[in-house]
Amino acid sequence: MNVLSDTWSWLTTATHWSGPDGIWNRLGEHLFLTVVCLLISCLIALPVALVLGHLGKGGALAVNISNIGRAVPTFAVLVLLLLTPVGTYGQWPTIIALVLFAVPPLLTNAYVGMREVDRDVVRAARGMGMTGRQMLWSVELPLALPLILTGVRIAAVQLVATATLAALAGGGGLGRIITAGFNLASTPQVVAGAILVAVFALLVESLFEAGQRMAPGRGREAA
Amino acid sequence: MPPWPGWNGRVTAPPDDCLARNEWICGAYLSSRREILMDAALQHLQLTALAVLIGLALAVPLALAARRWRWAAGPVLGLTTILYTIPSLAMFSLLLPVYGLSAALVVTGLVLYSLTLLVRNILAGLRAVPEETRQAARGMGYGPLRLLLAVELPLVLPAAMAGLRIATVSAVSLVTVGAIVGYGGLGNLIYSGMNTYFKAQVLTASVLCVVIAVAADLLLLGAQRLLTPWTRRQT
C-alpha cells in the first residue's frame, strides 16, 4: 500500500510533469517516435507485401521474417546500433531499431491477407477483364484489409514497447522515467513510469482495435 | 619528478590485440571471458526454462477452465491479452515493489508473457477437437480424465507445441531486458558492454542469444515430431 500511495504522490507532483525530463515531454517523445516509425515501417513493408502477395512470390521470406524478428532480442539490436557509427546520430539508432521490429508483423500479416483472398474472386476479377493493377487495388486490397490492419495494430503495440526499451540504450520516451527511477533507486518513480507506459500501450492497442472495427466493408465481419 | 610512482622512464606499448582495438569480432574475448559467458548463458537458460515451465503449468488448467466454463473464456483471454500488451520494461518495473531486485521478478514477468501465447494456443487446440471424436470416445466408455489424456491431449499437442515454441523463443529474447534488475543472463553482458563501449562483448552476447533461441526452437520442433509421429505421415 505504501508503494501505491508513494507512486500516486509522485504522479500528482506538478514538477514531475513539466520540463525536459517531465512526463509531458517524455510522452511527446514517445508519441512522436511511435507515429513516425509506424509511418516509415508502413511505407517500407506494405508496398513490398502487397506486391509480393499479388504476385504470390516470396512467401517463405514474408512468413519467416516474423519468426526471425521474435528470436532477435530488441535490447541487443538497440545496443548494437548504438555502438555502430550510426549511434552518434542522436535518435537514429532508436528509429532504425523501431522500424526493424515493426516491419515483420506488417509484412507477414499483409502478405498472408493478400494470399488468403478467395482465389475464385481473383479469377472472377480476371475474367471480367481487370488488369493486375485494378485487381490489386479494387479486389485484393479491400479483401485483405482486415489482416493488414491487424498487422498495423501489432506493429503499433510493438513500437510502443520497443520505444520504451530504447530508454535503456539512451533513447527518449516514457521509458526514461523508468530508467531514471532505477538510477535513483526510487521505486515510486519506477512504478509510476511503468504505469504510464502500460496505460499508453493499452490506449494505443484499444485505439487501433476501435479503428479496425470502424474500417469499411468486410473488416467488421472478419474481425 | 616522475608522473607516477614506479615510473621508469620507458613507455610500454599497449597490447595490440583485438581487445585493445575494441573490434566487434574477437577471438581473444571468447577465450579470456569464457567463464563469464558460460555463467551468463547458464543464467539465461535457467530463467527461460523456469518461466516457460511455470507458464505451461498455469496455462493448461486455465485453458481447460476456459473451455469447460464458457463465461471464463472471455476474462481469461482478455486478461492475458492485456498482460501481453504491456511492454516488457514496464512489466518488470511494475513487479519491482513485489519482488525487489531479484530473479523472481524476471521469471514472473516472463511467465505472464508466455501465459498469453500458451493459453491461446492450447484453447484453440482444445476447441478444434471434433465433437464427433469426443462423442465416439464417450461412447466407447471413456471417462472425462481418460478422454482428456488419451484422446484430447494428443490432438491438442501440435497446437500446444506451436504455442510453446513461440513462447520459448520470445522468452529467450525477453530475458535480456532483465538486465535492468541485474538478472538478464546474456542481457547483463550486453548492458555492461554498452556502458563500457565493449563491442566484442555486446556482439558475442547478442549472437549467443539468437543461437539459444534457434536451438531451443529446433529442440522443441524435434520433440514435437517425436511426440506426434502421426502428423509426419501426411506431409
Side-chain angles (χ1 to χ4, degrees), chain B:
Chain B
M1 184 157 167
W4 60 79
W7 188 63
N8 60 5
R10 272 180 309 187
V11 179
T12 37
D16 187 38
D17 60 356
C18 58
L19 281 173
R21 275 178 269 132
N22 195 17
E23 284 173 4
W24 285 106
I25 299 168
C26 181
Y29 173 77
L30 278 180
S31 52
S32 64
R33 309 287 208 284
R34 182 179 293 150
E35 261 179 49
I36 299 173
L37 276 169
M38 291 292 281
D39 286 349
L42 193 66
Q43 188 187 53
H44 209 106
L45 287 173
Q46 284 170 338
L47 290 170
T48 309
L50 203 58
V52 172
L53 287 177
I54 296 176
L56 192 62
L58 292 176
V60 172
L62 275 177
L64 285 173
R67 190 200 46 166
R68 179 77 179 72
W69 298 288
R70 271 188 170 275
W71 54 265
V76 166
L77 285 179
L79 192 68
T80 48
T81 307
I82 288 175
L83 288 175
Y84 199 68
T85 308
I86 298 174
S88 48
L89 188 60
M91 180 73 95
F92 290 159
S93 305
L94 283 174
L95 295 170
L96 183 68
V98 186
Y99 293 102
L101 301 173
S102 67
L105 179 147
V106 180
V107 172
T108 309
L110 295 172
V111 165
L112 293 176
Y113 281 119
S114 54
L115 261 186
T116 310
L117 297 163
L118 291 169
V119 167
R120 249 187 236 165
N121 274 272
I122 297 173
L123 191 60
L126 280 170
R127 282 180 173 163
V129 175
E131 191 51 40
E132 291 87 346
T133 312
R134 233 174 254 141
Q135 279 167 0
R138 257 186 233 118
M140 286 169 71
Y142 279 44
L145 188 67
R146 208 166 146 218
L147 173 72
L148 179 70
L149 292 179
V151 178
E152 291 183 314
L153 184 69
L155 288 173
V156 170
L157 260 180
M161 287 300 283
L164 191 63
R165 283 172 61 196
I166 297 178
T168 307
V169 171
S170 309
V172 171
S173 133
L174 280 172
V175 167
T176 54
V177 182
I180 187 90
V181 293
Y183 291 91
L186 293 161
N188 289 341
L189 297 183
I190 299 176
Y191 197 59
S192 62
M194 174 183 79
N195 291 329
T196 53
Y197 217 81
F198 194 169
K199 289 178 178 173
Q201 176 156 309
V202 171
L203 185 66
T204 311
S206 306
V207 169
L208 269 177
C209 276
V210 177
V211 169
I212 290 178
V214 173
D217 195 39
L218 290 177
L219 205 69
L220 286 172
L221 184 66
Q224 184 187 347
R225 292 248 166 100
L226 280 177
L227 285 170
T228 58
W230 60 89
T231 53
R232 244 178 317 173
R233 237 166 279 149
Q234 288 148 356
T235 51

